[in-house]
Amino acid sequence: MKISGYEDLRVQRTISSIYKAFEQLICEKEYSKITVKELSELAQINKKTFYRYYPTLDDLLTEMQAKYAEAYLEEVKEFQYPRDLAKSVRTFFTYSASQGKAYDRITSSAGGGYVGIRQQMIDNVMNSTWGESREFNLMEDWQKTVLLNFVEQTGLNIYKQWVNQGKQEPLEKVIESAILLMQGGVDNFLKQNK
């Protein structure tokens, strides 16, 4: 349920409580093991109250991912691709690193029920960013697919590796490495396919 800010204070508190409980459970266990009963108990609400706002846990997860994507897209809305790729990579890493453990779990999990919803978010972001690029839209479809897969998988895999290794390396060093690798790959691909 999207909160517009005009809801009753009790509704806002209830939704906030549901989110906090859900984030806590995401950090503690696999998504497939989370139940509405458990979430409701943790949020200190009745199960019926949960269902008043969300038909299923999948709907809550979808809304959470949509909020992540919306906030990220707001940060990159003025970027132009491929020119601003380095800025985009930096923004992805700094944004992701600031989101907390639940976001990291969803983003870095190899499975656990997050893969499909994570891919929906990635597709939304890629289409909203690269899809606006004149250079990108002049490419053949197979070239677009190759480029998007490279950008998407490289950035995501570097971030996953950083998270899964306990964020030991300084974020700035990881960002610089990702930019170097991704910018070089994209620039060379674009030169070759002109």
Side-chain angles (χ1 to χ4, degrees), residues 69 72-85 88 91 121-137 148 151-152:
Y72 174 73
L73 286 171
E74 182 64 27
E75 291 194 27
V76 299
K77 70 181 177 187
E78 302 296 324
F79 293 177
Q80 294 184 13
Y81 294 83
R83 184 190 74 200
D84 293 329
L85 178 61
S88 178
T91 302
M121 182 181 89
I122 290 168
D123 291 345
N124 179 26
V125 168
M126 289 299 189
N127 290 331
S128 297
T129 55
W130 283 91
E132 301 297 316
S133 166
R134 187 184 67 76
E135 288 175 83
F136 178 76
N137 286 315
L148 289 183
V151 171
E152 166 191 321

Side-chain angles (χ1 to χ4, degrees), residues 15 75 154 158 183:
I15 299 297
E75 291 194 27
T154 304
I158 292 170
Q183 189 74 61

Side-chain angles (χ1 to χ4, degrees), residues 1-3 11-27 34 39-40 42-45 50 53-54 57-68 70 99 102-103 106:
M1 169 179 189
K2 290 212 173 203
I3 296 180
V11 171
Q12 291 178 24
R13 278 196 296 254
T14 299
I15 299 297
S16 177
S17 180
I18 290 170
Y19 260 72
K20 286 178 185 169
F22 191 47
E23 287 176 341
Q24 181 179 334
L25 290 170
I26 286 171
C27 293
I34 299 172
L39 187 145
S40 299
L42 189 58
Q44 298 181 339
I45 60 169
F50 173 85
Y53 301 108
Y54 301 101
L57 285 171
D58 288 346
D59 293 304
L60 175 57
L61 181 60
T62 299
E63 181 179 297
M64 182 180 283
Q65 283 288 76
K67 285 184 177 190
Y68 288 140
E70 185 179 311
Q99 295 307 304
Y103 175 92
I106 292 167

Side-chain angles (χ1 to χ4, degrees), residues 18 47 52 60 76 86 91 118 163 167:
I18 290 170
K47 275 175 53 174
R52 182 178 308 141
L60 175 57
V76 299
T91 302
R118 179 175 61 223
V163 169
K167 300 182 179 182

Side-chain angles (χ1 to χ4, degrees), residues 170-189:
L171 180 59
E172 187 57 34
K173 184 176 180 182
V174 174
I175 291 170
E176 288 172 8
S177 296
I179 289 171
L180 185 65
L181 179 63
M182 294 170 72
Q183 189 74 61
V186 169
D187 288 347
N188 285 325
F189 183 78

